[in-house]
């Protein structure tokens, strides 16, 4: 029934299409990428202005152009300067290489599941709706009730599949869009019936409109005594979301995540909207799609959730993801089951990449392993070059004097953390710091251990590297020393913020500073009852001293920080053991030591204020 009304209104001549034309001033654009041959009309779109306005501007500058005229670099620059936008020209081939540019034969196209994002004001019930839909779709017992969070999941609705991105909120949606990824087919705007339309409700609607994604309104918390769905409808009608029953074309579903009422109807209305959009893909070609989530797992290495958007992804495929590459070694679905292939619209967790990509990155499967590697390497190079361009100079030690002399306007910082979420949180906290008009500029933020490529980027851009729960290995530390790159390691965000603020105010005067004395590699472990795990080690760098703090590092990630329990050379206690010698160590209150781990020793040393 809902289907008919929706279609009817959609076909109505006067039905208002979703348009961002009248909302143009609301979205502030600061920077754009463009490629050779961009036209006046295309640029207008990118910078969210009317082409007429641009044509007029160019005319005043003595240039008579039309909407379809290509612009040279100088003209792009002129226009962007006028609006305070920074344009960056990019190499089309490099940029496009992971996009699905092939035109599919209509005969190969098959229906695919709609991909849905849930947005709305905080506490209106986004997470509860996602959880309720998910748990009611896991047939009890079928998979032992195991649900695994991989950033997206699929459910069955009347024999058809619907894919949900389960990071609710428009921040994730916008971050993906900022990276050029458009994955969402339908957005659900959740409004609590007892609270009504709030600021983030409006934001969510603006974002959906800007992305031209059709919306369904879920009026949630209908079980609550103060529920007033008509008030919600009234308020949203003023934002172009006129309910069907009032003659508009927006589906409203009254529901309750708590009781489950209305959720089936909500799912069915997604199918209705999907049917109108006629979503199709070609399952019989190499896969392309987008990264939904990525993290560095202590045991498994880079773990990435990919959403297949076209083609079919197979185990063993050679794949380029952003600037990373590898083979799909293992693929699991949202229920934790290992699978061999993933058709369009299916989210899968993949292991086998050489590094951690970023959510919103595109991926593409290559028929040839060598091609994949070459494309990834080329992309990595351009990525570094682009990041390089976006930076200016600085270094933490003489930061305050540079600020005082007005030499720098921003402090470039590179953030690495064990998980993407932490990297984002650190980056966002640091970038909020402002001292005397000088700001922190995050030039890279990602999950993963600190790599040589991070050091190189930091070096060319004179950036400071901030590591959270990650440690550089010996090679990386040497490289950093050679290049004069400062690496600051923390595990508490506010401490990093305090330190950066102090440095920017010229008050960087820590009383104690941690000094790494050396590193040892665990060659063998022995379990001894009462003593715990003894690590047979080779000191590979510097020295390990008895009275030192230690960190256990596995694959570049700090697993444990504590104190050295004992240090022995053969049977005897040792005060210190230097590089090139073997020793036995225990860590106080910690036994999970494995072969291949690195034990790093450090001491706190007093530092005189400069
Ligand atoms: P989010 O911030 O939008 O993800 O909101 P949450 O899903 O975290 O929900 C916020 C609060 O509202 C939680 O305490 C939920 O238990 C509660 N809640 C969510 N949906 C309902 C509902 O349908 N009825 C009632 N009574 N409470 C709800």
């Amino acid at each position: 029934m809902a289907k008919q009304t929706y279609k009817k209104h959609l076909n109505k001549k006067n039905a208002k299409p979703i348009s961002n034309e009248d909302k143009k001033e609301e979205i502030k654009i600061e920077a754009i990428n463009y490629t050779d041959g961009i036209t006046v009309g295309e640029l207008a779109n990118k910078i969210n202005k009317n082409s007429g306005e641009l044509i007029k501007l160019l005319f005043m500058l003595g240039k008579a152009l039309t909407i379809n005229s290509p612009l040279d670099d100088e003209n792009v620059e002129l226009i962007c300067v006028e609006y305070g936008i920074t344009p960056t020209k990019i190499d089309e081939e490099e940029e496009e290489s992971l996009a699905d540019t092939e035109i599919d034969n209509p005969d190969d196209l098959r229906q695919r599941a709609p991909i849905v994002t849930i947005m709305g004001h905080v506490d209106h019930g986004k997470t509860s709706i996602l959880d309720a839909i998910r748990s009611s779709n896991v047939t009890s017992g079928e998979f032992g009730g195991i649900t695994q969070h991989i950033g997206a999941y699929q459910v069955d609705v009347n024999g058809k599949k619907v894919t949900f991105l389960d990071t609710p909120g428009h921040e994730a949606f916008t971050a993906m869009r900022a990276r050029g990824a458009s994955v969402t087919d339908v957005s659900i705007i959740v409004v609590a019936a007892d609270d009504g339309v709030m600021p983030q409700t409006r934001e969510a609607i603006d974002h959906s409109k800007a992305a031209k994604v059709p919306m369904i309104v879920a009026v949630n918390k209908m079980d609550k005594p103060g529920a007033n769905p008509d008030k919600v409808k009234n308020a949203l009608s003023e934002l172009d979301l006129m309910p069907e029953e009032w003659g508009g074309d927006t589906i409203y579903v009254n529901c309750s995540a708590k009781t489950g009422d209305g959720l089936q109807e909500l799912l069915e209305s997604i199918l209705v909207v999907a049917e109108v959009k006629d979503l199709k893909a070609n399952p019989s070609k190499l896969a392309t799609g987008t990264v939904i989530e990525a993290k560095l797992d202590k045991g498994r290495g880079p773990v990435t959730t990919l959403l297949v958007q076209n083609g079919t992804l197979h185990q063993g495929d050679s794949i380029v993801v952003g600037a990373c590459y590898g083979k799909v070694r293992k693929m699991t679905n949202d229920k934790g089951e290992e699978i061999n292939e993933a058709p369009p619209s299916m989210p899968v967790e993949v292991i086998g990449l050489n590094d951690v990509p970023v959510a919103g990155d595109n991926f593409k499967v290559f028929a040839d392993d060598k091609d994949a590697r070459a494309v990834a390497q080329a992309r990595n190079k351009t990525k570094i070059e682009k990041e390089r361009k976006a930076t200016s100079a600085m270094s933490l030690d003489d930061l305050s004097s540079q600020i005082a002399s007005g030499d720098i306007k921003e402090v470039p910082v590179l953030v690495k953390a064990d998980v993407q979420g932490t990297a984002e949180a650190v980056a966002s906290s640091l970038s909020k710091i402002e001292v005397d008009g000088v700001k922190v500029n995050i030039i890279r933020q990602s999950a993963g251990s600190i790599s040589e490529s991070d050091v190189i980027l930091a070096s060319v851009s004179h950036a400071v590297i901030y590591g959270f729960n990650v440690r550089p290995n010996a090679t990386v530390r040497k490289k950093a020393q050679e290049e004069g790159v400062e690496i600051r390691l923390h595990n508490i965000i506010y401490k990093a913020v305090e330190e950066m603020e102090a440095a920017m105010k010229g008050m960087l005067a820590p009383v104690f500073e941690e000094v790494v004395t050396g590193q040892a590699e665990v060659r063998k472990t022995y379990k001894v009852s009462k003593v715990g795990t003894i690590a047979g080690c080779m000191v590979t760098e510097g020295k390990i001293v008895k009275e030192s703090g230690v960190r256990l590092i596995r694959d570049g990630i700090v697993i444990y920080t504590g104190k050295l329990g004992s240090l022995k050379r053969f049977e005897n206690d040792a005060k210190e053991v230097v590089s090139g010698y073997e020793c036995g160590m225990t860590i106080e209150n910690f036994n999970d030591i494995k072969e291949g781990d690195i034990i790093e020793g450090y001491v706190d040393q007093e530092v005189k204020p400069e």
Side-chain angles (χ1 to χ4, degrees):
M1 200 178 71
K3 178 167 158 182
Q4 282 170 356
T5 42
Y6 183 70
K7 273 194 162 169
K8 186 181 84 205
H9 290 296
L10 207 94
N11 292 337
K12 260 175 42 176
K13 279 263 164 28
N14 61 352
K16 199 166 178 185
I18 293 166
S19 145
N20 62 351
E21 195 69 20
D22 34 38
K23 292 272 169 197
K24 284 197 164 161
E25 324 69 63
E26 288 186 17
I27 302 156
K28 170 94 184 104
I29 292 176
E30 283 168 0
I32 56 150
N33 287 343
Y34 74 99
T35 51
D36 224 344
I38 187 170
T39 64
V40 173
E42 286 162 353
L43 181 64
N45 235 343
K46 263 188 189 288
I47 65 173
N48 226 25
K49 301 282 167 204
N50 291 316
S51 4
E53 194 176 323
L54 262 51
I55 293 169
K56 209 157 113 193
L57 177 71
L58 287 161
F59 188 72
M60 309 244 279
L61 296 165
K63 297 169 206 275
L65 298 176
T66 70
I67 185 163
N68 292 320
S69 308
L71 291 163
D72 59 19
D73 295 354
E74 191 199 358
N75 285 336
V76 171
E77 194 85 20
L78 277 173
I79 293 168
C80 288
V81 164
E82 187 67 26
Y83 296 109
I85 294 168
T86 315
T88 311
K89 189 170 176 178
I90 52 168
D91 182 340
E92 191 153 17
E93 261 176 21
E94 217 82 75
E95 195 56 22
E96 296 293 317
S97 60
L98 297 188
D100 176 31
T101 45
E102 260 174 47
I103 295 170
D104 293 301
N105 183 337
D107 293 341
D108 294 333
L109 293 175
R110 301 283 176 276
Q111 216 177 46
R112 65 168 178 85
I115 298 160
V116 182
T117 302
I118 294 198
M119 300 196 257
H121 197 72
V122 64
D123 281 348
H124 279 196
K126 301 179 288 295
T127 314
S128 305
I129 290 179
L130 278 164
D131 288 350
I133 289 176
R134 179 170 195 179
S135 56
S136 66
N137 268 270
V138 176
T139 325
S140 58
E142 193 181 351
F143 307 110
I146 299 167
T147 52
Q148 204 192 325
H149 171 93
I150 64 166
Y153 65 80
Q154 276 193 321
V155 295
D156 248 51
V157 186
N158 305 339
K160 290 190 173 155
K161 289 211 178 319
V162 174
T163 304
F164 284 90
L165 301 183
D166 73 359
T167 321
H170 57 265
E171 292 81 2
F173 180 84
T174 318
M176 297 269 262
R177 284 231 310 140
R179 298 190 64 76
S182 54
V183 289
T184 305
D185 300 308
V186 179
S187 61
I188 293 183
I189 308 292
V190 178
V191 190
D194 62 335
D195 199 25
V197 174
M198 301 300 277
Q200 285 168 303
T201 320
R202 291 197 183 85
E203 278 176 42
I205 292 169
D206 286 346
H207 284 287
S208 289
K209 281 185 184 171
K212 300 193 167 65
V213 172
M215 289 170 260
I216 294 173
V217 180
V219 185
N220 190 36
K221 306 201 186 183
M222 284 299 290
D223 59 288
K224 285 194 138 182
N228 188 348
D230 278 353
K231 197 172 146 207
V232 173
K233 284 181 187 160
N234 253 321
L236 289 185
S237 296
E238 293 184 7
L239 301 173
D240 296 342
L241 296 181
M242 184 68 80
E244 288 190 312
E245 55 272 35
W246 294 1
D249 55 16
T250 304
I251 300 181
Y252 281 66
V253 180
N254 291 347
C255 63
S256 162
K258 191 174 170 192
T259 64
D261 280 346
L263 295 183
Q264 183 62 22
E265 195 190 328
L266 183 62
L267 291 171
E268 284 166 11
S269 52
I270 294 169
L271 290 182
V272 171
V273 177
E275 194 168 310
V276 175
K277 282 193 83 180
D278 195 22
L279 304 167
K280 287 194 166 147
N282 173 7
S284 54
K285 65 174 189 179
L286 298 177
T288 50
T290 301
V291 176
I292 300 299
E293 236 179 48
K295 62 176 186 230
L296 186 64
D297 183 274
K298 278 164 193 156
R300 297 181 294 166
V303 178
T304 310
T305 298
L306 301 177
L307 180 65
V308 179
Q309 290 178 279
N310 208 354
T312 296
L313 183 63
H314 303 269
Q315 217 171 87
D317 277 349
S318 297
I319 190 170
V320 176
V321 186
C324 313
Y325 72 97
K327 262 190 195 295
V328 177
R329 266 204 284 130
K330 194 177 163 197
M331 200 155 72
T332 39
N333 67 11
D334 54 349
K335 295 173 183 90
E337 305 162 302
E338 187 161 347
I339 51 170
N340 289 319
E341 49 180 49
S345 292
M346 184 186 261
V348 281
E349 195 178 73
V350 163
I351 299 175
L353 294 182
N354 69 330
D355 206 347
V356 185
V358 179
D361 274 347
N362 284 336
F363 78 83
K364 183 173 186 164
V365 169
F366 286 78
D368 187 342
D369 202 19
K370 286 199 203 85
D371 288 350
R373 181 186 292 245
V375 169
Q377 281 165 351
R379 289 178 61 84
N380 211 358
K381 211 168 129 221
T382 19
K383 184 175 148 204
I384 291 177
E385 276 162 12
K386 258 194 243 167
E387 287 170 327
R388 203 177 273 181
K389 267 191 217 152
T391 62
S392 59
M394 108 99 214
S395 83
L396 190 62
D397 249 358
D398 49 9
L399 173 61
S400 33
S401 62
Q402 288 196 39
I403 290 178
S405 63
D407 281 350
I408 56 166
K409 288 277 169 286
E410 52 186 31
V411 183
V413 170
L414 213 140
V415 179
K416 294 298 289 253
D418 51 348
V419 289
Q420 181 69 23
T422 309
E424 274 164 22
V426 173
S428 115
S429 302
L430 286 176
S431 48
K432 282 186 192 122
I433 303 176
E434 186 171 347
V435 174
D436 298 338
V438 181
K439 283 186 183 169
V440 171
N441 176 25
I442 305 294
I443 59 172
R444 175 185 281 176
Q445 61 168 72
S446 63
S449 52
I450 300 172
S451 65
E452 276 189 85
S453 111
D454 294 326
V455 173
I456 293 165
L457 174 63
S459 164
V460 295
S461 41
H462 304 280
V464 180
I465 299 179
Y466 270 85
F468 270 73
N469 299 328
V470 292
R471 318 289 301 176
N473 64 24
T475 328
V476 172
R477 262 189 295 122
K478 265 202 201 93
K479 183 95 195 159
Q481 243 164 23
E482 280 165 24
E483 301 277 337
V485 168
E486 181 151 17
I487 301 179
R488 314 290 303 183
L489 301 165
H490 287 270
N491 48 18
I492 299 170
I493 297 181
Y494 79 81
K495 287 245 161 96
V497 171
E498 269 178 16
E499 175 191 272
M500 176 56 82
E501 249 169 7
M504 288 169 75
K505 285 180 184 146
M507 302 189 309
L508 187 67
V511 185
F512 283 95
E513 196 176 68
E514 184 190 296
V515 176
V516 173
T517 58
Q519 282 195 345
E521 211 178 281
V522 179
R523 297 275 161 93
K524 244 189 154 40
T525 59
Y526 311 88
K527 295 221 180 347
V528 178
S529 55
K530 287 193 185 144
V531 180
T533 306
I534 301 176
C537 303
M538 166 65 87
V539 179
T540 50
E541 252 205 289
K543 60 184 180 185
I544 301 291
V545 294
K546 173 69 187 50
E547 301 301 326
S548 85
V550 286
R551 262 184 293 264
L552 188 84
I553 302 160
R554 189 171 298 156
D555 300 325
I557 293 183
V558 180
I559 306 276
Y560 183 76
T561 304
K563 281 182 74 179
L564 200 58
S566 63
L567 180 67
K568 283 184 196 280
R569 280 275 300 150
F570 302 107
E571 299 299 298
N572 307 322
D573 285 323
K575 271 214 173 99
E576 60 173 58
V577 179
V578 298
S579 170
Y581 288 90
E582 288 180 338
C583 61
M585 285 187 232
T586 59
I587 300 177
E588 257 182 37
N589 308 320
F590 186 79
N591 289 313
D592 174 31
I593 310 176
K594 295 205 167 80
E595 270 173 46
D597 287 350
I598 302 286
I599 295 178
E600 182 177 86
Y602 64 88
V603 292
D604 286 329
Q605 247 175 32
E606 196 174 343
V607 178
K608 303 261 176 306
E610 291 182 6

